[in-house]
Amino acid sequence: MIVEKRINNNVALARKNGQQLIVMGKGVGFGKHSGDQIVEDQVEKTFYSEGSLNLEQMASLITDASGADIEVVDGIIRYGQVQIKESLNPNIFFTLLDHICFSLQRYEKQMDISNPLDWEIKKFYPIEHGIGKFAVTLIREQLKVNISDAEASFIALHFVNAQIESSAHHEGVQMVEMTNDILQLVRYQLNCDYDEDSWYFQRFITHLRYYLMRQKNGVIQENGDQNELVDMVFSRFNKEKNCVNLIDYYLQEKQGWHTSNIEKMYLILHLRNLVEKKNRS
């Protein structure tokens, strides 16, 4: 691994096996010049260009950010990783750093903005929203900037995106909007005015969330040896099956996604449970 450009004492633009990357680690860039070898034992993190940011933009972000900004972002991501317990796209470091630096600039200019999806994000992504709240507190404590509470939802979306392997902010917004659209469709089709604070609603939301992530990532679940079970569920719960077919049609029209029969079966069972629990309450 060789240096292409030293960014600062702890960051360098490098090349390994013909591929450019950014490396971070204590002292990794200290005294280095173009063409120098990097001591790989010093490398703590590596980043590759992905999504909307190229390596030059990523390097510029680190150059412009303060050491305190970088430390706060690293702390938020480490906390988020523990809470989510799923692998995250490593480039969340740059997208989140970009967002927070811009938020600090907005604060200085007294440009406070609201998030129109704040309610949906709190309901559909409570873990990620909790990370956002932690981030707001950490920024206030470490950077001494009293940013708005609304930033929690914006930051939460970065962690939603990092789980669906996308660095584009609009992907997370789309997930929230699609979740909301599907809930409205279910409410209308099944005449189900569910309790949004109940455990059975949250269980359905969790399934819906990972279902959409699988669709987004092209993960298709096949029937395997469960054809008889699928057929039984389809024939027994006709009303829920019609509702799921409408969800499938909605996603085909909006995203070009197709839902396998096994995915439909699981959705039907979750919808059935949602309706039954509501009727018993």
Side-chain angles (χ1 to χ4, degrees):
M1 186 185 298
I2 62 169
V3 174
E4 287 205 343
K5 180 181 179 182
R6 174 187 174 277
I7 298 173
N8 60 40
N9 286 343
N10 302 316
V11 185
L13 183 64
R15 184 172 292 274
K16 182 178 182 180
N17 299 327
Q19 188 171 13
Q20 275 191 321
L21 66 157
I22 288 176
V23 295
M24 294 180 65
K26 189 173 182 180
V28 75
F30 180 72
K32 292 292 192 298
H33 299 88
S34 179
D36 288 349
Q37 289 286 333
I38 290 176
V39 179
E40 298 201 21
D41 287 346
Q42 291 181 310
V43 176
E44 297 172 7
K45 295 179 182 179
T46 59
F47 304 96
Y48 295 86
S49 179
E50 184 174 319
S52 60
L53 292 174
N54 59 42
L55 283 171
E56 290 296 331
Q57 290 170 317
M58 293 157 72
S60 177
L61 276 172
I62 293 181
T63 302
D64 294 341
S66 70
D69 295 340
I70 292 172
E71 186 177 335
V72 163
V73 170
D74 189 55
I76 294 168
I77 293 171
R78 282 189 282 107
Y79 176 83
Q81 184 71 77
V82 171
Q83 300 304 308
I84 290 174
K85 299 180 179 65
E86 298 284 344
S87 60
L88 298 173
N89 185 325
N91 284 1
I92 187 179
F93 176 88
F94 293 95
T95 58
L96 189 56
L97 178 63
D98 185 35
H99 174 83
I100 287 176
C101 287
F102 184 57
S103 298
L104 297 177
Q105 292 173 18
R106 287 202 317 266
Y107 177 82
E108 289 178 0
K109 298 175 182 178
Q110 297 183 328
M111 296 169 57
D112 197 13
I113 61 174
S114 61
N115 190 334
L117 295 173
D118 186 66
W119 181 88
E120 286 86 351
I121 293 166
K122 287 179 183 176
K123 288 293 182 182
F124 303 157
Y125 298 100
I127 293 175
E128 289 80 358
H129 190 264
I131 296 167
K133 289 171 66 178
F134 169 85
V136 167
T137 300
L138 192 65
I139 290 168
R140 288 171 177 171
E141 291 177 351
Q142 299 296 321
L143 302 181
K144 310 302 180 186
V145 179
N146 190 30
I147 63 170
S148 168
D149 288 337
E151 289 295 335
S153 291
F154 288 117
I155 291 170
L157 282 175
H158 284 277
F159 283 89
V160 175
N161 287 332
Q163 293 172 78
I164 58 177
E165 299 181 347
S166 170
S167 59
H169 176 78
H170 75 276
E171 296 287 356
V173 173
Q174 280 186 337
M175 285 292 180
V176 174
E177 290 177 340
M178 285 190 290
T179 301
N180 197 41
D181 288 346
I182 291 172
L183 284 175
Q184 295 305 320
L185 187 154
V186 170
R187 190 190 302 270
Y188 176 77
Q189 289 297 317
L190 299 181
N191 192 26
C192 181
D193 192 17
Y194 25 69
D195 178 4
E196 292 166 350
D197 293 321
S198 65
W199 67 267
Y200 56 84
F201 176 79
Q202 293 303 323
R203 185 178 180 186
F204 175 65
I205 287 296
T206 300
H207 178 79
L208 185 58
R209 167 187 179 174
Y210 286 104
Y211 159 69
L212 290 174
M213 286 184 179
R214 287 193 297 273
Q215 297 295 99
K216 168 67 176 62
N217 292 326
V219 178
I220 300 175
Q221 295 199 36
E222 302 295 344
N223 290 9
D225 58 355
Q226 301 185 72
N227 285 309
E228 289 186 10
L229 180 60
V230 170
D231 291 340
M232 188 260 307
V233 170
F234 279 13
S235 62
R236 185 173 179 182
F237 305 118
N238 191 58
K239 190 174 182 180
E240 289 81 3
K241 178 176 179 289
N242 290 337
C243 184
V244 167
N245 284 338
L246 287 173
I247 293 171
D248 180 35
Y249 177 77
Y250 163 78
L251 292 175
Q252 285 187 50
E253 290 293 303
K254 190 172 182 68
Q255 299 289 348
W257 298 343
H258 176 71
T259 304
S260 67
N261 282 342
I262 194 72
E263 287 279 21
K264 287 183 179 180
M265 182 192 76
Y266 288 132
L267 276 172
I268 289 168
L269 293 174
H270 276 278
L271 286 177
R272 183 64 182 176
N273 185 61
L274 188 70
V275 173
E276 284 187 338
K277 297 297 184 183
K278 175 58 183 173
N279 290 338
R280 291 174 186 170
S281 60

